[in-house]
Amino acid sequence: MQGTAQPTSQATAYTPTDRTVPTRSAERASYDKELVHAILDEGYVCHLGFVRDGAPVVLPTLYGRVGDRLYVHGSTGSRPLRMTGQADPGLPVCLTVTHVDALILARSAFHHSINYRSVVVHGIAHDVTDPEEKRAALDALVDHVVPGRAADSRPANKKELAATAVIRLDLDEVSAKLRTGGVNDEPEDLSLPHWAGVVPLRKGYETPVADGDLTPGIGLPDYLAVP
Amino acid sequence: MQGTAQPTSQATAYTPTDRTVPTRSAERASYDKELVHAILDEGYVCHLGFVRDGAPVVLPTLYGRVGDRLYVHGSTGSRPLRMTGQADPGLPVCLTVTHVDALILARSAFHHSINYRSVVVHGIAHDVTDPEEKRAALDALVDHVVPGRAADSRPANKKELAATAVIRLDLDEVSAKLRTGGVNDEPEDLSLPHWAGVVPLRKGYETPVADGDLTPGIGLPDYLAVP
């Protein structure tokens, strides 16, 4: 299981670098591992950036986390995965995950904002070739969508594994950025006749809809119970 | 009002280019303007990609749309905005907006997926210097968060305008990509003992929370009424 061993670093925070220290609103930045992992684990898609022919490309894609490693998968024919396999020593990427938690309606247009939590990861993506690591990454990708689901589905067969490329990005140069709290209007604007406040966005999911071909007697699994 | 005139193109679809034709799942791609605009208008943040020192950077940010133009704003000191102002003829960017609509739980790990709608825009971002266009862009940014809100807030004053940079990205090289529908399991997997179906994600917002300093008598505006 060498390929799936978790990184053993015991540090509780990532080390800031020139790229991960924001030029503004620095008070909103964090390098805390627990916070970074929590933001990553709550997301469904990341936005993966890479450079192609000198221009930036940003694509949404599913991802999974195993310790301090992120995994992205796709068809072996997809562009960033093919580029990673061909690049030596790998493909420079930037992987970003963002949650919008609330809309901030201030009395002034200028102070309108959103409450958000984001994680930005800079690094080099590497093709995963070790079969054990690849299997563990695919499990992590499924469990990322719904925790506990990988064990309750048919694992990829040989043909499916061969058609799927997986790339790894180590969590090393990482930062979180977040805005929380309420409206920050200028004192002289407080008496203006405009409603001001916080509009929280809805989270979670609606009632699951079973597939029409579901074998009778298979109930909704516990991991899908709406809290 | 020259600066805020809407593009006059009457085409109903964007022209596909090498960058906007996907290498896989091409049946999920669309260039329909109405669909692209609808996906863009529903989002809160975009993910803006650019190249810095040869490496990709992807940052979440608010945006607004006026016809076939997108606008992004920020502090005049923020990196991508400063880079756009300094670049000639502008900064190559990729701007992506993604909605996750539902989780697709298949019986096989391989066919797990999500229903999503995304728009990817490639182009050159330009600094907006025309004062009228800048004001219209800032209104569009506020109205993008909550339609109708710009008219019900204090417009930016001279100092705030000076502190805010706005960049424009024309909708020209654009594509949408989407997955809809249900589970696509292999026929031989249909009898497996795993629950399968669609898990729709919650949309919209919770009850707005008024600012503690709100002047008594100001009720919740109509544009915030939860349907």
Side-chain angles (χ1 to χ4, degrees):
Chain A
M1 293 289 286
Q2 189 192 350
T4 58
Q6 307 231 349
T8 52
S9 164
Q10 296 301 309
T12 60
Y14 297 104
T15 306
T17 70
D18 176 52
R19 291 200 288 198
T20 63
V21 174
T23 45
R24 62 195 187 98
S25 305
E27 76 287 355
R28 293 184 183 170
S30 169
Y31 306 91
D32 182 75
K33 280 195 179 190
E34 208 170 313
L35 177 67
V36 164
H37 291 180
I39 293 172
L40 289 172
D41 292 352
E42 194 181 318
Y44 289 113
V45 299
C46 65
H47 282 81
L48 182 71
F50 57 99
V51 181
R52 181 169 171 248
D53 298 335
V57 181
V58 178
L59 298 178
T61 187
L62 296 168
Y63 64 102
R65 183 178 72 84
V66 178
D68 268 324
R69 293 172 170 178
L70 292 184
Y71 294 97
V72 168
H73 77 327
S75 153
T76 49
S78 90
R79 241 166 224 160
L81 298 170
R82 219 173 45 205
M83 284 174 69
T84 301
Q86 291 163 353
D88 182 18
L91 185 71
V93 297
C94 181
L95 185 155
T96 301
V97 172
T98 306
H99 307 293
V100 180
D101 294 325
L103 315 177
I104 305 297
L105 272 60
R107 295 157 184 88
S108 62
F110 186 75
H111 284 297
H112 275 67
S113 188
I114 55 168
N115 280 350
Y116 67 93
R117 290 165 295 143
S118 65
V119 164
V120 177
V121 184
H122 299 272
I124 308 288
H126 295 278
D127 206 17
V128 173
T129 52
D130 179 273
E132 287 298 326
E133 183 179 7
K134 191 169 171 181
R135 276 200 178 276
L138 293 176
D139 282 351
L141 273 146
V142 170
D143 277 336
H144 188 89
V145 175
V146 179
R149 178 66 184 180
D152 187 23
S153 57
R154 174 178 67 69
N157 59 33
K158 211 170 160 182
K159 186 182 152 197
E160 291 166 344
L161 279 174
T164 306
V166 175
I167 59 177
R168 183 182 79 220
L169 175 63
D170 291 339
L171 292 173
D172 179 31
E173 193 170 354
V174 187
S175 61
K177 203 169 173 192
L178 49 164
R179 185 199 192 278
T180 56
V183 176
N184 291 331
D185 261 317
E186 303 295 330
E188 62 267 30
D189 287 336
L190 292 181
S191 59
L192 289 176
H194 308 301
W195 187 90
V198 176
V199 184
L201 295 193
R202 299 180 79 203
K203 302 281 182 177
Y205 39 76
E206 308 284 357
T207 308
V209 181
D211 181 39
D213 290 323
L214 195 68
T215 303
I218 299 183
L220 195 69
D222 287 344
Y223 52 74
L224 280 182
V226 176
Chain B
M1 292 289 285
Q2 189 193 349
T4 57
Q6 306 230 351
T8 52
S9 163
Q10 296 301 310
T12 60
Y14 297 105
T15 306
T17 71
D18 177 52
R19 292 200 287 198
T20 62
V21 174
T23 46
R24 61 195 188 97
S25 304
E27 76 286 356
R28 294 183 183 170
S30 169
Y31 306 91
D32 181 75
K33 279 196 179 188
E34 208 171 312
L35 176 67
V36 164
H37 292 179
I39 292 172
L40 289 171
D41 293 351
E42 194 182 317
Y44 290 114
V45 298
C46 66
H47 282 81
L48 182 72
F50 56 100
V51 181
R52 182 171 170 248
D53 298 335
V57 180
V58 179
L59 298 179
T61 188
L62 296 168
Y63 64 101
R65 181 177 73 84
V66 178
D68 268 323
R69 293 171 169 178
L70 292 184
Y71 293 97
V72 167
H73 76 328
S75 154
T76 49
S78 90
R79 238 166 229 163
L81 297 171
R82 219 173 45 207
M83 285 173 70
T84 302
Q86 291 163 353
D88 183 16
L91 185 71
V93 298
C94 181
L95 185 155
T96 301
V97 171
T98 307
H99 307 292
V100 181
D101 295 324
L103 315 177
I104 305 297
L105 272 61
R107 295 155 183 90
S108 62
F110 186 75
H111 284 296
H112 275 67
S113 188
I114 55 168
N115 281 349
Y116 67 93
R117 290 165 295 144
S118 65
V119 164
V120 176
V121 185
H122 299 272
I124 308 288
H126 295 277
D127 206 17
V128 173
T129 52
D130 179 272
E132 286 299 325
E133 183 178 8
K134 190 167 172 181
R135 276 200 178 276
L138 293 176
D139 282 351
L141 274 145
V142 170
D143 278 336
H144 189 90
V145 175
V146 179
R149 178 66 184 179
D152 188 22
S153 57
R154 174 178 68 68
N157 59 34
K158 212 169 159 182
K159 185 181 152 197
E160 291 166 345
L161 280 174
T164 306
V166 175
I167 59 177
R168 184 183 76 219
L169 175 62
D170 291 338
L171 292 173
D172 178 31
E173 194 171 353
V174 187
S175 60
K177 204 169 172 191
L178 50 164
R179 185 199 192 279
T180 56
V183 176
N184 291 332
D185 261 317
E186 304 294 332
E188 62 267 30
D189 286 337
L190 292 181
S191 59
L192 288 176
H194 309 302
W195 187 90
V198 176
V199 184
L201 295 192
R202 298 180 79 204
K203 301 281 181 176
Y205 38 76
E206 308 284 357
T207 307
V209 180
D211 182 40
D213 290 322
L214 195 69
T215 303
I218 299 183
L220 194 68
D222 286 344
Y223 51 74
L224 280 181
V226 176

